[in-house]
Amino acid sequence: MFGGLAAALLLAQLFLPRPRFSRLWDGIFDAGHAVVFGGIAWAVWVILCAYERPRRALFRGLAAFGVAAWFGFLTEAAQIPGPRNADLWDGLRDLAGAAGVLLLVAAGHRGRRLPRQVVITVAMGALLIGFWLGMRPLTVHVSRTLQLPSLARFDRPWGRSLVGLRDATITWQTRPGPTGTPVAAAEITYLAQGVYPAFMLHEPHPDWSGYTDLALDLFIPGDLPRTLLFRVVDRGIGSDYTEQFGRTLEFAPGWHQVRFPLESVSVAISGRRIHLDEIQSLVIFVPAPETPFRIVLANLRLER
């Protein structure tokens, strides 16, 4: 049964289409690495049992672990050319799952040298580590829901994990906000070498339909006004910018409390109605800056 479950998860990960909002899906399948490679190690153990003497259990265990580890290495190495990426954490989940299952097998072996309770405890610890390493994306999924109406907390790991950059750098900081109260902020530096340097908030909470405004606090350092382009992207529209919500605004130096009524956000440049219950990303970028410049973002949120 365990081997069948592992095979089903492996086939599902390879062949099922990924949902558009992938963070929860990623967490489930990342945790599944421990199950899949535990199943591989168990299957190798069973095969070797047909050919090896019972007293050579240690050899079977090491061989089964080695095969699972080697297969895990090959599957990650095969992803380096793309379209998916090799992941060290996936490799660690593979090893934890293989070790945990083999230790459970060892707990039932008569020739073990350690007490059964010790072996089972270590085995369960290895499996829990494998599952925990896989469920990190799930904690992001849960946190972004519990923290609504905030879309990203820049003082929390879950909020920072939603942020992506293109031809830009970021510094996390706490500084006085527009009312003088300290706020957790992100200082973004847009670099001059980029055609469209961008700050991207990937997969914030997708359902904005129960709110009236998208709001954020924006600080422009220096003494020059800056022009920023805002985009809101919903599911499945590809790269056509006319199918996104877009606004181009100029800001003077200093703090600004920026609000976009969601009634206007729900209309793309082309006139298409945007799905406010399936938002995929928020992008703030500039076109071909001649010199690097900085902005500070804080309190990305929804309002009623």
Side-chain angles (χ1 to χ4, degrees), residues 175 187-190 219-222 226 292-296:
R175 61 185 299 156
E187 182 180 83
I188 299 103
T189 300
Y190 294 102
F219 180 74
I220 305 296
R226 299 297 185 183
F293 71 86
R294 296 175 295 122
I295 67 169
V296 177

Side-chain angles (χ1 to χ4, degrees), residues 164-195:
L165 300 169
R166 182 177 64 231
D167 295 321
T169 61
I170 195 166
T171 302
W172 312 109
Q173 57 184 232
T174 300
R175 61 185 299 156
T179 63
T181 302
V183 295
E187 182 180 83
I188 299 103
T189 300
Y190 294 102
L191 305 177
Q193 71 262 27
V195 178

